[in-house]
Amino acid sequence: SHLVFRTIVTDIGHEVVSTTVCRHIFHYECIVKWIETTGACPYCRTKLILPDDIREKMYDASSEEES
């Protein structure tokens, strides 16, 4: 089965990062694109899915860029 990741904000530089359920940390935008493309953690290959609200934001943003 696939696992969903959660998002946290670091105190260092106030960068938005994502922590997967397998406890790997990535820049938010990078991992969202990676999971959408591959469906797995880049480090350990745990299968991951994006929550629906994040997918909707991705598609909304890509629609705005095309306009």
Side-chain angles (χ1 to χ4, degrees):
S1 69
H2 289 72
L3 303 172
V4 180
F5 75 94
R6 59 191 163 101
T7 301
I8 61 169
V9 178
T10 64
D11 292 334
I12 301 171
H14 301 286
E15 293 185 40
V16 178
V17 298
S18 175
T19 303
T20 62
V21 292
C22 47
R23 298 182 185 217
H24 296 117
I25 299 172
F26 305 94
H27 284 105
Y28 177 80
E29 290 182 21
C30 297
I31 194 62
V32 166
K33 290 176 186 176
W34 180 270
I35 293 171
E36 185 67 18
T37 303
T38 67
C41 174
Y43 285 141
C44 67
R45 304 294 183 215
T46 296
K47 293 180 182 178
L48 301 170
I49 59 169
L50 297 174
D52 289 337
D53 61 328
I54 293 175
R55 284 183 185 201
E56 290 170 9
K57 287 178 187 175
M58 284 180 59
Y59 293 122
D60 289 345
S62 66
S63 296
E64 288 176 9
E65 288 175 4
E66 292 174 6
S67 300

